[in-house]
Amino acid sequence: MFRWAKKRKRLKKLDQLFNSAMADVRIFEQRQDYRGAVIASFGGLTSIAENLINLTRAPHQTGREFGMQVAEQANISTEVMDEFLTSFEIARYTEREIGYDEYQEAVQRLDVCFRGIREQGIQEITEETSSKKEKKQKIKTAKKETAKKETAKVKTSKQLKTRKQLKTRR
């Protein structure tokens, strides 16, 4: 398969992950369950981080620790991630009512996080593609160098044979 086709396929997968995560959030929004929507948004963040930047939440890790690790690895503003995680923690661990405005703020922060993770995922895809190009170039260079060395050996052995023949004739 061509490199561009693989890259396009992986980018399509990225978009599907984002759409799937947001679809889960929208289901809660339609029910006007904003608390559930914010909690589902954290689940979407976790899923996307696992799939795009290969970052899995450890069993001992809190949501905040994991979120900050995602922010660090995906070059997301820690302030934005902190605000999003605060919204998640309020929804998950308190009885406080989450209104539409708070939900919208959390979704906007989540969107910023998603874009950061997506950019990091695209960068990794691009780096992977360029590293494959570099490897191929190194292999070609190594083959050329090996061919040159073998050619030099053949020339040297021919020269030695010619010298020996000259010596035996004398």
Side-chain angles (χ1 to χ4, degrees), residues 1 3-19 48 51-52 114-115 117-129:
M1 185 179 271
R3 268 185 247 127
W4 59 268
K6 285 182 182 179
K7 184 176 178 180
R8 186 204 250 146
K9 186 175 181 180
R10 293 215 28 214
L11 290 174
K12 188 174 182 179
K13 182 181 176 187
L14 292 176
D15 289 335
Q16 288 174 343
L17 285 168
F18 290 119
N19 293 334
I48 288 171
N51 284 297
L52 298 184
F114 280 178
R115 280 187 270 137
I117 294 170
R118 186 176 193 280
E119 288 172 14
Q120 185 67 26
I122 290 171
Q123 183 179 353
E124 287 178 9
I125 292 169
T126 306
E127 287 173 359
E128 186 179 294
T129 303

Side-chain angles (χ1 to χ4, degrees), residues 32-108:
Q32 295 183 345
D33 180 3
Y34 303 121
R35 173 185 306 282
V38 173
I39 294 170
S41 68
F42 181 78
L45 176 72
T46 304
S47 172
I48 288 171
E50 287 175 356
N51 284 297
L52 298 184
I53 55 178
N54 299 321
L55 190 60
T56 305
R57 184 175 174 189
H60 66 277
Q61 206 171 26
T62 66
R64 180 164 291 278
E65 291 170 337
F66 179 73
M68 289 303 181
Q69 187 178 4
V70 169
E72 182 181 310
Q73 198 161 357
N75 298 320
I76 299 169
S77 164
T78 53
E79 292 173 11
V80 171
M81 182 60 81
D82 180 60
E83 291 171 357
F84 171 72
L85 292 171
T86 300
S87 299
F88 164 71
E89 289 168 343
I90 289 170
R92 176 74 174 91
Y93 302 113
T94 69
E95 294 298 318
R96 194 172 117 206
E97 192 66 32
I98 303 293
Y100 182 77
D101 292 337
E102 288 178 288
Y103 156 74
Q104 282 297 322
E105 288 176 13
V107 169
Q108 287 173 353

